[in-house]
Amino acid sequence: RDHLHASGHICVLKDAFMYESPTEIADLTSTDKFDAALAIHLYKGGRLLQGSRIPFGIIFGGTDVNEDIKCEEKRRVMGAVLEEARFSVAFTMEMKELAAAEWPDARKKIYVQTQGIKTTPSETFDWYRFLQNADIPTDTDSLHVFLLICGLRRVKDPLYLVDVFSDWHRKDPSVHLGIIGPAVDPLFTSEVKEKVKRAPGVHLLQEMTQDDLHAAMKRCFAVVNSSISEGMSAAILEAMDLDIPVLARNIPGNAAIIKHKETGLLFSNPQEFVVLSKSLMNDPIMKTEIVTRAKDYVKKHHSWESERKAYQNLVLRL
């Protein structure tokens, strides 16, 4: 929205979860005289624009091309949406190729644009109050807080590391894992809460503003990603920009932005996560080299200004 506002457009954000059918969106666009639409997620957002009276573009989310494509009905809907769209955006070349393999006719209108990253850590953030609210001891000399930032839904797999991390915490009380993010799936959120209650060293944290979250990331030891599937994780890129090392599950979306032991660490199972975390804790030189290269990578490949120009040019196609 900021990018579009900056070029003089009026841009209104709507949550796709608030609507159930294309008819509701058609009523909205007619009543408020919209000229065009830009949907995020080929299925969740795109399905609402089928048969739209206004031109639209699509930004792939990740789970659409990686997961929803496995469902016959969703795949059919996404193909129809892509046929109608003026353009679509993939975060990586790999994501574009996945979509193009499924819908070859759409190849020419799929553009690759990485996510632009801009971090804004709050200067008034109180780290010690944050720890107290999370029931993490503040008097530990060698505290190592790992942050797992994700919406609480199954594809993000926030419980993947809980058992092994809790076992590690029993042996080394200085390590703590904080899981933080919106309760996207209420039923699954209840599962997470129950599991975390029985897992010493693992904490389910309250949501916070982006500025405070960036400040918390700056104070933590490492940022963790344990997703089953990712498009392009903004949390990973933000951690890189904030000079914080990243430990991420070795899946295509993460491996597309992390080079193992160069700009971050990729793990294939929970046990390897612990081994790699310990190596990071015991080798400050490696940690420094990783965060330095990661910061350079984000500056070079995930420029906020480049993203702005790309979207300002793309909307002209609408």
Side-chain angles (χ1 to χ4, degrees):
R1 181 172 63 177
D2 288 346
H3 295 336
L4 300 180
H5 279 174
S7 58
H9 301 293
I10 297 168
C11 182
V12 178
L13 291 182
K14 294 290 183 182
D15 186 345
F17 286 110
M18 292 167 57
Y19 301 91
E20 292 183 3
S21 73
T23 308
E24 291 176 82
I25 293 296
D27 290 344
L28 172 73
T29 56
S30 298
T31 306
D32 292 350
K33 302 289 190 293
F34 284 93
D35 299 306
L38 187 57
I40 300 174
H41 202 280
L42 185 53
Y43 180 73
K44 290 173 189 167
R47 68 186 176 84
L48 298 169
L49 292 172
Q50 274 190 284
S52 177
R53 67 165 191 86
I54 57 173
F56 64 87
I58 298 285
I59 302 170
F60 297 155
T63 52
D64 40 14
V65 178
N66 291 326
E67 301 297 323
D68 291 342
I69 206 167
K70 299 169 188 173
C71 168
E72 182 58 43
E73 173 59 18
K74 289 181 179 179
R75 188 167 71 230
R76 184 192 63 75
V77 170
M78 291 192 293
V81 170
L82 204 48
E83 199 173 316
E84 289 184 48
R86 294 283 180 92
F87 67 82
S88 55
V89 179
F91 294 143
T92 64
M93 185 57 73
E94 291 85 350
M95 202 186 291
K96 172 177 176 170
E97 290 304 322
L98 271 175
E102 188 63 39
W103 302 291
D105 291 346
R107 176 180 288 277
K108 288 182 180 175
K109 58 180 175 182
I110 303 175
Y111 298 84
V112 176
Q113 175 58 46
T114 58
Q115 287 195 79
I117 292 301
K118 184 180 184 183
T119 53
T120 53
S122 165
E123 292 181 9
T124 57
F125 177 72
D126 190 330
W127 173 244
Y128 294 98
R129 181 172 288 179
F130 170 80
L131 295 176
Q132 285 173 338
N133 290 341
D135 289 328
I136 296 174
T138 56
D139 56 351
T140 310
D141 291 334
S142 57
L143 192 63
H144 296 93
V145 177
F146 294 74
L147 275 188
L148 173 54
I149 302 159
C150 66
L152 299 182
R153 51 194 177 115
R154 292 188 189 281
V155 72
K156 297 297 183 180
D157 210 2
L159 298 177
Y160 184 63
L161 300 170
V162 168
D163 288 337
V164 74
F165 200 100
S166 201
D167 288 343
W168 181 24
H169 171 79
R170 288 185 183 98
K171 296 166 190 162
D172 179 359
S174 80
V175 298
H176 292 263
L177 174 65
I179 301 171
I180 183 166
V184 180
D185 179 338
L187 190 63
F188 181 61
T189 299
S190 297
E191 272 184 51
V192 174
K193 286 178 179 175
E194 284 305 310
K195 179 85 172 178
V196 168
K197 273 183 196 172
R198 303 189 299 274
V202 181
H203 315 264
L204 189 57
L205 310 176
Q206 287 187 328
E207 272 189 89
M208 56 178 72
T209 65
Q210 189 172 48
D211 292 358
D212 280 350
L213 181 59
H214 287 164
M217 289 164 77
K218 274 192 82 167
R219 295 297 302 268
C220 75
F221 177 75
V223 165
V224 181
N225 178 291
S226 59
S227 297
I228 294 167
S229 170
E230 279 287 358
M232 179 173 284
S233 168
I236 286 178
L237 295 170
E238 287 164 356
M240 289 175 160
D241 191 54
L242 292 165
D243 298 314
I244 301 303
V246 175
L247 292 121
R249 195 165 175 173
N250 193 357
I251 55 172
N254 291 342
I257 55 177
I258 293 174
K259 201 163 183 185
H260 185 53
K261 292 192 175 177
E262 289 197 24
T263 56
L265 298 170
L266 296 169
F267 59 87
S268 298
N269 57 61
Q271 292 71 29
E272 189 180 11
F273 164 79
V274 175
V275 170
L276 291 171
S277 296
K278 287 178 178 176
S279 70
L280 199 61
M281 287 163 60
N282 296 328
D283 192 341
I285 293 173
M286 177 180 77
K287 181 183 174 185
T288 300
E289 288 175 348
I290 283 175
V291 298
T292 301
R293 285 190 292 259
K295 176 96 169 195
D296 290 343
Y297 167 81
V298 171
K299 276 185 178 175
K300 186 176 179 182
H301 298 284
H302 296 275
S303 159
W304 180 258
E305 289 306 321
S306 295
E307 183 188 56
R308 170 166 289 180
K309 286 174 189 169
Y311 281 106
Q312 288 175 346
N313 288 331
L314 278 173
V315 294
L316 297 178
R317 296 175 179 274
L318 298 172

